[in-house]
Every structure is written in structure tokens, then in C-alpha cells.
Amino acid sequence: MRAAPSRTRPTAGRPAPVDVVLPCLDEAAALPWVLARIPEGWRAIVVDNGSTDGSAALARSLGATVVHEPRRGFGAACHAGLLAADADVVCFCDCDASLDPGLLAPFAVAVRDGGHDLVLGRRRPQQRGTWPPHARLGNFALSRMLRRRTGLRLHDLGPLRAARRTALLGLDLTDRRSGYPLEMVVRAADAGWRIVERDVPYRPRTGRSKVTGTWRGTWHAVRDMRAVLRRPPLAAPTHQKETAR
């Protein structure tokens, strides 16, 4: 199955209304499914993080913009995609077919209409075994630590999210490993952003997870995120009011 180029490429000379950043490491088996579900007229930015299975060439053939990020790390890939984006609203989604990027459409509307500054997807597993117990436990612990640190009552720190590009750049995110998604939420909270989460179906991923598929990977992710939570709050940038809306 091939994704129609019109779904992933904006009109020539004009930026896409929304860019979707898709960090990718050996996801050739999932890419056709994922790219076929990018909303019409949006641009898919696949950030290849050192794949050896032909993911980059496949993504390009399916109409996606491909960015190469040689430095390994989920945060490194996400931030490279953010820097490559030029749309007003930028979304993020995993590239393993566990989440449908088509679900981002109402997220983008909520951001573009000014109702929220950051919209997050709360993963709801669709069948047993989709979310391993150790990964679910780690997410629960981090959510509680996040609540103590920021006051936010979030249930998930999942990868499906949307915000304005200039506002995200203004957060000056520095983590380039597994702490990147959490750092985004923490700094957004420190800056006074309006943050909301919405339920999204969570499917079994295609292939094995590089992070939550093992206890070791989950532990490293939790370690990275705990380091983010220990950092002192940053003062909200003076231009936050303009960039977050």
C-alpha cells in the first residue's frame, strides 16, 4: 500500500498547514500504514535516526519529507523534525503504527483555534499486551512525579501531540534522549501553557519497541525523565504570551 503524495506534500511554494514529525528507526514495515493516514494536505516529516532497513528511501518514495539525524536518541530525532518544520502547527507521532496520525486532526484544530497551547494523546490500549506492564508502571510513576512538579493532572506522556512551532522553539528544549517528551510538557507548564489530554486508541506496534519493549529500555527512559523533573523551573519567556497563542 502506498500513500498518496498529496497527503504528505503541500502545494509547491506554500508551507503545509500542519507538519507531522515522525521519528524513525527501522520502521519500514510500519511506514506505509502510517503515511497513508496523514491528513490530506499535511506534510509528513520522517526523521531517519540511523535506519538500516531502507526506511528513509521508502518514506521518500511514499511522498514524505525525509530528514537525516545521525545523533541517536528520540529527542534528537524529534527536535531535528521540529527544526525542519515550517508550518504554524507542528504535530508529533510515533512511526511504528501504534498510533494513527489521522487522530491529530482535532488536536491541530484545538491549537490553531487558540483553545489550547499543547494537546496530548492519552493512550488507551485496544487489546491485551499492547502496553507492557513495566512500560505502563513507568508511565504511571512519571505522571505522579509530573503532578508534584507542575500540578498538571495528566495520565500519559505519550508521543501523540500538537502545538505551535514558534512556541515550541521558544521552550529551548535541550534533552535529546527519552526525556524530550517530558521536558516539553514541563517547560510548557512552567511557561503557563494551557495543556490538555485526549483519549486515543493505542494499537500493537509493528516490530519491537526500542524503549518500552524491555525493562532495560524502560528504565533508561525513566532515568532520563527523572533527570528532567529534577531541573529547576525556568522563568517564562517574555514573549510567551505571543508565541503560545
Side-chain angles (χ1 to χ4, degrees):
M1 178 172 59
R2 296 176 64 86
S6 61
R7 286 187 176 273
T8 57
R9 286 178 180 161
T11 304
R14 297 172 58 190
V18 177
D19 283 332
V20 185
V21 175
L22 299 157
C24 176
L25 177 58
D26 293 330
E27 303 289 6
L31 275 168
W33 187 92
V34 173
L35 293 178
R37 284 159 176 79
I38 298 294
E40 185 74 27
W42 291 19
R43 180 172 64 148
I45 301 177
V46 174
V47 185
D48 186 68
N49 204 206
S51 299
T52 59
D53 66 347
S55 289
L58 175 61
R60 190 175 291 109
S61 75
L62 294 175
T65 296
V66 176
V67 174
H68 293 276
E69 174 50 64
R71 179 168 47 167
R72 285 291 182 92
F74 182 78
C78 287
H79 203 68
L82 176 60
L83 293 176
D86 60 13
D88 180 35
V89 176
V90 176
C91 298
F92 296 83
C93 181
D94 274 354
C95 206
D96 58 11
S98 63
L99 292 163
D100 184 344
L103 298 171
L104 287 164
F107 287 32
V109 170
V111 170
R112 187 164 46 221
D113 290 352
H116 299 287
D117 302 312
L118 177 62
V119 184
L120 307 169
R122 180 185 182 185
R123 292 168 289 184
R124 294 293 198 174
Q126 299 300 289
Q127 63 187 65
R128 291 174 62 91
T130 299
W131 205 350
H134 53 273
R136 193 187 295 249
L137 181 61
N139 190 74
F140 175 76
L142 286 166
S143 295
R144 288 185 62 99
M145 287 188 282
L146 176 68
R147 184 177 303 179
R148 289 196 296 268
R149 166 66 173 74
T150 67
L152 289 174
R153 293 183 172 273
L154 300 177
H155 300 85
D156 191 12
L157 298 170
L160 204 69
R161 51 188 61 193
R164 291 193 181 276
R165 178 178 58 86
T166 53
L168 286 172
L169 292 172
L171 294 178
D172 294 326
L173 302 178
T174 60
D175 192 284
R176 295 296 181 265
R177 293 167 58 87
S178 300
Y180 188 89
L182 177 61
E183 184 185 27
M184 183 187 296
V185 176
V186 169
R187 292 203 172 183
D190 288 346
W193 287 25
R194 296 159 300 170
I195 302 171
V196 67
E197 64 180 8
R198 294 179 174 176
D199 289 354
V200 293
Y202 190 44
R203 302 160 28 91
R205 65 158 286 137
T206 299
R208 189 183 186 193
S209 172
K210 287 81 173 175
V211 178
T212 58
T214 66
W215 280 95
R216 180 181 178 86
T218 299
W219 164 246
H220 283 303
V222 171
R223 181 192 62 188
D224 291 345
M225 293 185 182
R226 288 182 66 183
V228 169
L229 289 169
R230 286 196 294 265
R231 298 173 191 165
L234 294 177
T238 57
H239 60 286
Q240 190 273 331
K241 294 294 184 181
E242 289 75 25
T243 58
R245 286 173 162 71

